[in-house]
């Protein structure tokens, strides 16, 4: 992708565009890789990448590499992602609903909430994203599954908006909410026990990409999360892994052995079926 033009003869905009075009060939790049691929001096690449990162056009990862920032991904990919999910998830949601005889939902984060499509029990079809409903992220299993595998700034933005109490069981303190997300990251399983509606509980599993970020989550509505876990969890895992592969992402690894048994032994605390533990244990 090296340019035949000299770096000196290119405008700042063309150099920045060249850097962004490099992401057509990979999700993340080091500064050295960008310098080589874009045929720019290291000092120029460092300056432009730093400015792009400052503007949130690029994000710097924990390993020191750079990837396309969330705002740009939303501009260029959110609609396509929704279309792909709608196309690819249709049969997965149908099969899951028929197998378990329950209502299932697939959700994505959208402006601080969860936009979801669903397959109700019976012969009714899967709804489409053009008519997607929205639910609060912090009070749903879908939201927890998505936020547990989202960038920290996304979680921070949710906390800044405040955790509204919809029922007495809603998690409303940042400490307890972060603890629930830590448990979800450990187990790849999110639970909402009467947090949004008194008469409704749910279990959700994230659909992860190759960087272990949630691109979606699938949720099953249940009466009792603890008693339903043994039946629902395996079917949810299969559906999410299959969808992840259909979307072109790497194979998702299984949760640690024995974890399901550990979770089912946990006493209900507040609004979840998991024992409350400090999130520092899982870092």
């Amino acid at each position: 992708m090296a340019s035949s033009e000299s770096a000196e003869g290119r405008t700042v905009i063309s150099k920045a565009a060249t850097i962004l075009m490099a992401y057509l060939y990979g999700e993340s790049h080091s500064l050295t890789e960008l310098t080589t691929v874009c045929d720019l001096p290291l000092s120029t690449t460092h300056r432009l990448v730093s400015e792009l990162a400052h503007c949130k056009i690029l994000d710097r990862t924990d390993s020191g590499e750079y990837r396309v920032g969330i705002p740009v991904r939303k501009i260029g990919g959110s609609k396509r992602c929704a279309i792909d999910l709608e196309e690819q998830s249709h049969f997965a949601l149908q099969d899951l609903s028929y197998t378990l005889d329950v209502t299932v939902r697939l959700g994505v984060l959208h402006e601080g909430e969860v936009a979801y499509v669903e397959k109700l029990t019976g012969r009714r079809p899967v709804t489409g994203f053009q008519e997607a409903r929205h639910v609060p992220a912090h009070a749903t299993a879908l939201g927890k599954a998505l936020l547990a595998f989202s960038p920290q700034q996304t979680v921070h933005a949710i906390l800044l908006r405040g955790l509204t109490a919809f029922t007495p069981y809603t998690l409303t303190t940042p400490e307890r909410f972060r603890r629930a997300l830590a448990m979800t990251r450990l187990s790849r399983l999110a639970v909402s026990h009467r947090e949004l509606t008194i008469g409704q509980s749910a279990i959700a599993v994230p659909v992860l990409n190759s960087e272990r970020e949630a691109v979606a989550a699938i949720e099953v509505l249940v009466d009792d999360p603890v008693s339903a876990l043994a039946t629902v969890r395996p079917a949810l895992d299969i559906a999410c892994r299959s969808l992840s592969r259909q979307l072109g992402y790497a194979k998702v690894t299984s949760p640690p052995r024995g974890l399901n048994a550990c979770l089912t032994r946990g006493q209900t605390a507040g609004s979840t079926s998991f024992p409350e533990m400090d999130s520092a244990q899982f870092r």
Side-chain angles (χ1 to χ4, degrees):
M1 192 173 148
S3 171
S4 60
E5 303 175 22
S6 66
E8 292 76 9
R10 294 151 65 184
T11 66
V12 172
I13 292 178
S14 70
K15 294 173 185 176
T18 302
I19 290 173
L20 293 177
M21 291 294 288
Y23 289 92
L24 292 172
Y25 304 92
E27 293 188 359
S28 63
H29 295 289
S30 68
L31 197 61
T32 301
E33 289 173 341
L34 289 172
T35 298
T36 302
V37 170
C38 299
D39 193 20
L40 293 170
L42 178 59
S43 60
T44 301
T45 306
H46 181 269
R47 175 174 58 81
L48 291 175
V49 165
S50 297
E51 291 181 11
L52 290 170
H54 179 73
C55 297
K56 306 300 183 183
I57 294 174
L58 294 179
D59 279 339
R60 192 173 189 273
T61 67
D62 292 337
S63 63
E65 295 187 331
Y66 292 88
R67 62 186 177 188
V68 176
I70 293 175
V72 177
R73 277 186 276 170
K74 285 185 176 180
I75 291 171
S78 59
K79 185 175 181 181
R80 180 68 251 171
C81 179
I83 294 172
D84 286 345
L85 282 170
E86 188 169 354
E87 292 173 350
Q88 300 292 344
S89 66
H90 182 85
F91 291 111
L93 295 181
Q94 271 195 344
D95 291 344
L96 190 58
S97 179
Y98 292 154
T99 299
L100 300 175
D101 193 25
V102 294
T103 293
V104 299
R105 294 172 174 172
L106 179 139
V108 296
L109 287 175
H110 178 67
E111 297 181 356
E113 294 187 319
V114 179
Y116 71 90
V117 297
E118 65 182 348
K119 171 64 180 77
L120 301 174
T121 55
R123 295 182 176 275
R124 283 168 287 189
V126 179
T127 60
F129 273 106
Q130 71 276 7
E131 54 190 26
R133 298 180 180 178
H134 290 73
V135 290
H138 72 281
T140 57
L142 276 175
K144 291 178 188 174
L146 290 163
L147 290 172
F149 294 91
S150 294
Q152 285 302 306
Q153 58 263 37
T154 303
V155 177
H156 185 61
I158 297 293
L159 295 177
L160 284 178
R161 295 174 61 172
L163 306 179
T164 302
F166 294 96
T167 75
Y169 303 98
T170 308
L171 297 180
T172 56
T173 64
E175 294 78 13
R176 293 187 67 195
F177 187 67
R178 288 186 184 278
R179 201 176 304 148
L181 296 187
M183 284 298 297
T184 298
R185 282 193 295 274
L186 175 70
S187 62
R188 289 196 206 100
L189 182 75
V191 171
S192 173
H193 186 43
R194 301 184 292 177
E195 292 184 53
L196 183 61
T197 305
I198 286 291
Q200 188 178 89
S201 297
I203 298 172
V205 170
V207 178
L208 301 178
N209 64 16
S210 55
E211 295 184 345
R212 283 181 53 82
E213 294 175 331
V215 295
I218 299 178
E219 175 186 84
V220 171
L221 302 185
V222 297
D223 293 326
D224 177 34
V226 173
S227 62
L229 185 62
T231 302
V232 169
R233 177 65 189 269
L236 264 175
D237 280 341
I238 291 171
C240 287
R241 290 180 197 166
S242 296
L243 183 53
S244 179
R245 286 195 295 270
Q246 290 170 23
L247 292 171
Y249 300 119
K251 181 178 179 182
V252 181
T253 57
S254 301
R257 288 186 177 182
L259 183 58
N260 283 349
C262 172
L263 296 177
T264 55
R265 288 196 298 268
Q267 298 296 317
T268 300
S271 60
T272 73
S273 301
F274 299 151
E276 291 215 8
M277 301 180 185
D278 192 282
S279 60
Q281 292 177 258
F282 311 116
R283 292 173 185 166

